[in-house]
Amino acid sequence: MMELNPVVDAEHLMREFEELAGFSDAEPPAVTRVVFTETDLRARQFLKESCAHAGLLVREDALGNTFARWEGTNPALPAVGTGSHMDAIPHSGRFDGTVGVLGGLEALRALRETGFQPSRSLELLIFTSEEPTRFGLGCLGSRALSGAADLGALDRMVDKEGRSLEQVRTAAGFTGPLTAVTLPDSYYSAFVELHIEQGPLLERNGVPIGAVTAIAAPAALRVKFEGTGGHAGAVLMPDRHDALCAAAELILDVEKSARSTGSPDTVATVGFCSVHPGASNSIPSRVTVEVDIRDIALAPRNQVVADVKHVVAEMAARRGLQAGVEILNADPPATMAPPIVDAVLAVCSQLGIACQRMVSRAYHDSLYMARICPTGMIFIPCRAGVSHRPDEFASPEAITQGVQVLALTLAKLSSD
Ligand code: HGY
Ligand code: MN
Ligand code: MN
């Protein structure tokens, strides 16, 4: 492969981050961009135009996954993919996911500027709904692409307004059967995602690049409590079946269970709670909480899932209320493909950039892409490891270095 020196246009790239962050339903510096909202659709339009302007062939599938393709000299060969997501959870930051989308686009532009001609086509992917915000389940686009989902069940999932995925995607202009979304076998020969670390290790170690070796195993549960409600003044304490008190007990049990698996990598969070009727002088009758449980290893993660089921059943009987646990997902961890990890390490060594192997505690679309092709991830540091907060920050220098490593990794993987 000819000696390549892709030059990243950092100024233009930072302007694109600024413009993309403007597509938000939150006050700056926070970003909120929920799948298939008007804001999301405007952001998609901006990205599609940017990809077309870069000379890439743009298409979308029935779920809104967006593909921007640079045809290779051997277009019949399986392509090499890169990309990430552009949806953002409420009141979060501007770099989660977008570093892999805008950074992936810039990597392709910088390679095109060098006159490089890939043998295998190179494709930038913008996945639909990596975040679980609207439907409670993350990675909808990459699950469907990789065949990791029951597509009928996916289309029947409803948001908090009771609107199904099928209704919402169709209203957004993404029509047709989801069965058409699943990629044919060996569509990709490799996939590489650039992403902020969403943790403190790279910054703490003063290392600019992480070569991800594995992605932790995520599980999400929805727990519904049905009590009897009633007047806050008139119902005496022994007569109560308070759904929110039950939920409160569960939340503390989740924390206790995650702390006692014996694995330092077990984490569990209750980040969503809805209370009905939600009046200060009315005893909560219906409460729904969503529980996020993860570990790098399956056994301790599954132990907390089992604890939740046990605690909910025992507590419902003791408190005299109805309760149900719905497993939204309980996925295995993913191992990144050694040849892809080695390609990233080799590029870093060629560029004289320090690089460390590491595990991703956050999940990503690569968790599902790893099921259909050799997959790897490139991490860059984010300030103090902060993410999913408005003060999430990755420096232009860190982003530029990540894009350079991505560009040369993609060139290496698409040159045979
Ligand atoms: O939650 C996650 O790990 C990802 O940011 N959706
Ligand atoms: Mn995220
Ligand atoms: Mn992300």
Side-chain angles (χ1 to χ4, degrees):
M1 183 172 84
M2 68 193 212
E3 188 64 26
L4 284 176
N5 178 29
V7 177
V8 174
D9 182 345
E11 228 179 276
H12 176 251
L13 180 54
M14 291 309 122
R15 282 200 305 274
E16 287 183 318
F17 273 102
E18 190 62 32
E19 188 160 355
L20 182 53
F23 297 105
S24 167
D25 290 319
E27 278 304 304
V31 177
T32 298
R33 192 161 48 240
V34 177
V35 68
F36 296 144
T37 56
E38 275 310 307
T39 301
D40 174 48
L41 298 182
R42 284 200 303 276
R44 286 166 177 268
Q45 189 53 34
F46 163 68
L47 289 168
K48 286 188 289 184
E49 286 166 6
S50 304
C51 290
H53 189 253
L56 303 173
L57 297 171
V58 181
R59 71 177 177 88
E60 294 166 305
D61 68 16
L63 192 44
N65 292 307
T66 304
F67 304 78
R69 189 179 180 91
W70 174 6
E71 204 74 340
T73 52
N74 285 312
L77 288 175
V80 172
T82 187
S84 192
H85 63 99
M86 37 76 75
D87 57 329
I89 69 170
H91 303 288
S92 60
R94 61 172 61 184
F95 297 101
D96 173 7
T98 55
V99 159
V101 172
L102 291 173
L105 174 56
E106 179 59 21
L108 298 187
R109 283 188 298 229
L111 281 175
R112 290 168 76 88
E113 285 295 309
T114 66
F116 168 72
Q117 268 298 331
S119 163
R120 293 172 180 275
S121 299
L122 283 166
E123 211 162 58
L124 174 69
L125 259 155
I126 308 169
F127 296 95
T128 282
S129 196
E130 190 270 354
E131 298 292 4
T133 310
R134 185 157 192 175
F135 293 96
L137 181 66
C139 298
L140 296 188
S142 48
R143 286 174 192 273
L145 284 169
S146 62
D150 171 336
L151 298 170
L154 217 61
D155 241 355
R156 290 190 296 275
M157 293 183 80
V158 292
D159 63 15
K160 282 144 182 119
E161 281 71 48
R163 299 185 65 201
S164 73
L165 174 60
E166 184 178 22
Q167 285 171 323
V168 169
R169 70 180 176 90
T170 306
F174 302 109
T175 55
L178 285 190
T179 44
V181 169
T182 303
L183 292 173
D185 287 347
S186 59
Y187 180 87
Y188 288 119
S189 57
F191 179 80
V192 188
E193 180 172 7
L194 176 65
H195 204 286
I196 52 172
E197 179 196 343
Q198 297 178 299
L201 297 183
L202 289 175
E203 183 184 65
R204 191 180 294 163
N205 300 341
V207 173
I209 296 289
V212 176
T213 54
I215 301 175
L221 288 64
R222 181 175 290 140
V223 185
K224 293 185 175 178
F225 296 94
E226 182 100 28
T228 47
H231 193 292
V235 180
L236 298 180
M237 296 312 281
D239 302 330
R240 293 189 175 203
H241 306 286
D242 184 323
L244 188 52
C245 289
E249 194 178 330
L250 171 65
I251 292 166
L252 291 177
D253 274 321
V254 163
E255 182 188 42
K256 198 166 74 186
S257 172
R259 287 175 186 274
S260 50
T261 62
S263 157
D265 299 311
T266 310
V267 289
T269 315
V270 175
F272 174 83
C273 177
S274 69
V275 182
H276 177 83
S280 61
N281 58 349
S282 176
I283 303 166
S285 54
R286 281 202 313 274
V287 170
T288 299
V289 295
E290 290 179 2
V291 190
D292 179 308
I293 307 167
R294 313 186 196 197
D295 193 300
I296 295 165
L298 261 186
R301 196 278 313 269
N302 288 342
Q303 184 186 320
V304 179
V305 173
D307 283 354
V308 169
K309 288 180 185 171
H310 171 74
V311 162
V312 168
E314 183 279 325
M315 188 208 311
R318 174 165 41 86
R319 287 177 170 270
L321 39 71
Q322 300 298 313
V325 179
E326 180 189 0
I327 307 280
L328 297 169
N329 71 291
D331 297 290
T335 303
M336 297 293 96
I340 311 294
V341 178
D342 293 344
V344 173
L345 293 167
V347 164
C348 288
S349 146
Q350 172 197 330
L351 291 173
I353 297 175
C355 176
Q356 74 171 69
R357 292 166 180 271
M358 60 197 302
V359 170
S360 173
R361 297 181 184 284
Y363 63 73
H364 305 279
D365 291 303
S366 291
L367 184 66
Y368 302 97
M369 293 306 283
R371 297 189 185 191
I372 56 171
C373 70
T375 294
M377 290 192 76
I378 299 168
F379 271 178
I380 61 168
C382 50
R383 188 174 54 202
V386 162
S387 183
H388 281 192
R389 276 181 15 192
D391 53 339
E392 178 184 273
F393 178 78
S395 69
E397 299 69 30
I399 295 171
T400 299
Q401 251 183 350
V403 172
Q404 266 169 339
V405 171
L406 176 65
L408 289 172
T409 304
L410 294 175
K412 188 186 277 284
L413 296 170
S414 61
S415 290
D416 55 334

